[in-house]
């Protein structure tokens, strides 16, 4: 189930323009389009969706570590990100 959910989440993120690295675990490392990981992190946090942001790490500051959740949680995450990115445009 985690594998299937991970693949579905990775595809959803890629569809939003994220670069997603291959993963064999229960989380994904994803580069945010435009490098605005902090902005997406804060927007998700405001919605009660927590992901990991590495703002002080130079090689990771444009990326988020996203745990695979339930289908409902992953759908809320993708929807939240889509809203945040749409507001940026």
């Amino acid at each position: 189930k985690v594998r299937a959910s991970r693949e579905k989440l990775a595809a959803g993120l890629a569809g939003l323009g994220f670069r997603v690295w291959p993963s064999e675990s229960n989380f994904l490392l994803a580069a945010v389009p435009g490098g605005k990981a902090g902005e997406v992190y804060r927007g998700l946090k405001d919605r009660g969706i927590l992901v990991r942001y590495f703002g002080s790490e130079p090689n990771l500051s444009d990326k988020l570590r996203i745990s695979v959740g339930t289908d409902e949680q992953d759908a809320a995450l993708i929807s939240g990100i889509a809203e945040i990115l749409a507001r940026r445009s």
Side-chain angles (χ1 to χ4, degrees), residues 11 16 19 46-47 49 56 61 64-65 74 84:
L16 293 173
R19 177 177 177 206
D46 289 346
R47 290 168 170 77
I49 300 170
S56 62
S61 64
L64 298 174
R65 180 192 180 275
D74 292 345
I84 293 163

Side-chain angles (χ1 to χ4, degrees), residues 8-27:
K8 186 176 177 182
L9 178 58
L13 291 168
L16 293 173
F18 281 67
R19 177 177 177 206
V20 182
W21 277 262
S23 175
E24 296 294 324
S25 66
N26 68 335
F27 66 88

Side-chain angles (χ1 to χ4, degrees), residues 2-55:
V2 171
R3 286 181 190 147
S5 294
R6 183 181 59 230
E7 294 304 317
K8 186 176 177 182
L9 178 58
L13 291 168
L16 293 173
F18 281 67
R19 177 177 177 206
V20 182
W21 277 262
S23 175
E24 296 294 324
S25 66
N26 68 335
F27 66 88
L28 297 169
L29 182 66
V32 177
K36 303 286 186 174
E39 183 180 328
V40 173
Y41 165 76
R42 287 184 293 279
L44 289 171
K45 188 174 180 184
D46 289 346
R47 290 168 170 77
I49 300 170
L50 300 178
V51 297
R52 186 82 192 268
Y53 171 55
F54 305 96

